Amino acid sequence: MKRSIIFFICCVLVFTVSSIDINASAKSKEKSEGKKIIVLATGGTIAGVGDAGKTAGYKPGTLTAEELLSAVPELADIADIEAIQVCNVNSDDITAEIWITLANIINEKASDPEIKGFVITHGTDTLEETAYFLNLTVKTDKPVVITGSMRPSTSISADGPMNLYEAVSIAASDEAVGQGVLVVFSDRIYSARSVTKTSTYHVTAIASGETGAIGIVRDGEVLLYESPVKKHTTQTVFDVSNLEKLPTVSILYFSVDADPRLVKYAAKYSDGLVIAGAGAGEFSKKWIKAIKKLKIPVIISSRIDDGVITKDNLLCGNTIAADNLSPQKAAILLRLALTVDADKEQIEEMFKEY
Ligand code: ASP
């Protein structure tokens, strides 16, 4: 009698445990059903490998896209994932050719109704530049989310797996549709236009200065509080589908006693210039003289993080105000403006609109 009671209890236990399992996997299947996310891996610290536990002295762009994904098995609960290794580099080696490839892959795959969104894994050094370029050139409302990490995969408490989980959650969400290219880092969601790297070491290095984050993500739940107002993605005039490279734009950083011959030299090898001026886009009388002589488009930005430049700030009539775009983002917009042969007035308009 006793034996048959024990046998009965065991059977009930086995049945309960296995039905919990079946329910859990059925639920996760239900959650991920119909959601396909493309992960485009480009390298960076998120794919970095170094001495066990250490945060510095590692080799970025080492793990493959598949290895990155296998570190986060929970991704299967959110979506079916297709991984594409676009390149595997330190993000300082990202090029305009890689940007164009990324934009073209996204634009081509976005027409597939099965695909819900895109995630790009990227080094943090130039993440903001890739984000802004794509924000101006992808032609879809589907979510495009970029992330990376500050600590390599082999460090203690690496931040990559959580950032990747959050990026896929956002890419699979309805909230992110039509918001332009987004960046997620340490639980915060940023718009591509304002995001920038603010620290050389901290896990919250990717942030958004005065404008701040537009939302947060927690345990895969996406909470958006703001929406970007500047034109992006489907609202821009830029089409990179037939381009192989971009025009050359150089950035000149002004400081006390900076040699004005640099202005002439840079202009000789560039299709356009961006000046990172002091304060509200200012520079010495010697630079004013050199800049006034230039015949190529010149954008005036500031070397200050929260720098807004308006037309009234300009010291030279032949220049264009960058609004609050950083020098590196102003350079991207100017490069794209030159692909559509925009004249001075049209470029001015673009710096207001985008
Ligand atoms: N140097 C690295 C990169 O940009 C830094 C990082 O990813 O955090 O690829």
Side-chain angles (χ1 to χ4, degrees):
M1 180 63 183
K2 240 187 189 173
R3 263 205 205 151
S4 59
I5 289 173
I6 291 169
F7 177 73
F8 175 75
I9 292 171
C10 285
C11 284
V12 169
L13 272 177
V14 167
F15 176 75
T16 317
V17 169
S18 58
S19 62
I20 286 170
D21 262 347
I22 290 163
N23 276 344
S25 69
K27 255 195 187 159
S28 97
K29 219 172 162 222
E30 198 181 286
K31 227 176 155 188
S32 67
E33 213 146 87
K35 287 187 182 175
K36 187 169 174 192
I37 300 291
I38 309 281
V39 173
L40 300 149
T42 70
T45 297
I46 192 167
V49 171
D51 290 345
K54 284 188 68 181
T55 58
Y58 57 90
K59 190 177 174 300
T62 303
L63 296 183
T64 62
E66 292 296 346
E67 285 169 323
L68 278 182
L69 295 174
S70 65
V72 196
E74 294 80 1
L75 293 175
D77 296 345
I78 310 171
D80 290 334
I81 308 218
E82 182 189 331
I84 301 177
Q85 189 80 52
V86 178
C87 56
N88 211 354
V89 297
N90 191 25
S91 76
D92 307 281
D93 290 315
I94 290 284
T95 59
E97 288 78 3
I98 296 173
W99 285 347
I100 293 167
T101 302
L102 282 168
N104 287 337
I105 294 175
I106 293 170
N107 288 339
E108 212 182 289
K109 295 209 173 259
S111 57
D112 180 345
E114 298 252 295
I115 293 168
K116 175 84 182 164
F118 301 86
V119 167
I120 298 165
T121 57
H122 200 288
T124 58
D125 290 352
T126 64
L127 184 150
E128 67 204 69
E129 292 173 60
T130 299
Y132 189 51
F133 173 81
L134 294 174
N135 195 51
L136 296 172
T137 55
V138 297
K139 297 294 158 203
T140 179
D141 279 342
K142 292 186 179 180
V144 176
V145 187
I146 309 188
T147 197
S149 79
M150 287 300 289
R151 295 178 181 154
S153 64
T154 40
S155 75
I156 295 170
S157 195
D159 51 333
M162 182 57 106
N163 283 345
L164 180 57
Y165 180 77
E166 294 186 339
V168 172
S169 304
I170 298 166
S173 76
D174 292 335
E175 286 82 353
V177 173
Q179 302 293 337
V181 172
L182 298 174
V183 171
V184 65
F185 223 86
S186 294
D187 311 333
R188 297 195 180 105
I189 305 168
Y190 302 96
S191 79
R193 188 182 181 280
S194 60
V195 76
T196 192
K197 186 168 183 177
T198 61
S199 161
T200 56
Y201 71 96
H202 204 266
V203 284
T204 57
I206 299 292
S208 246
E210 266 186 332
T211 50
I214 63 166
I216 58 174
V217 54
R218 290 200 73 194
D219 294 331
E221 191 185 355
V222 178
L223 303 162
L224 271 194
Y225 300 106
E226 322 278 340
S227 207
V229 295
K230 295 285 187 179
K231 288 187 180 171
H232 57 72
T233 57
T234 54
Q235 306 147 355
T236 79
V237 294
F238 306 122
D239 173 6
V240 295
S241 57
N242 290 317
L243 293 182
E244 274 167 20
K245 53 191 179 116
L246 292 180
T248 303
V249 168
S250 304
I251 299 173
L252 282 179
Y253 194 103
F254 176 75
S255 62
V256 169
D257 279 342
D259 191 332
R261 286 175 301 178
L262 289 175
V263 173
K264 197 173 166 196
Y265 182 83
K268 190 172 166 199
Y269 296 101
S270 312
D271 304 301
L273 283 189
V274 173
I275 309 288
E282 302 203 21
F283 29 79
S284 63
K285 289 195 182 81
K286 286 178 184 166
W287 272 45
I288 293 178
K289 209 170 148 202
I291 289 170
K292 276 187 175 166
K293 286 187 192 146
L294 299 178
K295 299 274 175 284
I296 54 173
V298 183
I299 309 297
I300 306 299
S301 61
S302 175
R303 62 184 201 180
I304 297 178
D305 284 347
D306 286 328
V308 179
I309 316 293
T310 66
K311 210 171 178 175
D312 290 341
N313 294 124
L314 298 176
L315 301 175
C316 309
N318 58 336
T319 59
I320 296 164
D323 197 292
N324 70 345
L325 287 178
S326 63
Q328 58 274 27
K329 286 194 180 164
I332 292 167
L333 181 50
L334 180 56
R335 293 178 87 179
L336 285 169
L338 293 172
T339 65
V340 293
D341 293 327
D343 62 22
K344 184 166 180 275
E345 269 167 30
Q346 288 167 325
I347 299 174
E348 268 167 354
E349 207 41 46
M350 286 173 178
F351 272 84
K352 286 182 198 144
E353 283 188 317
Y354 303 139

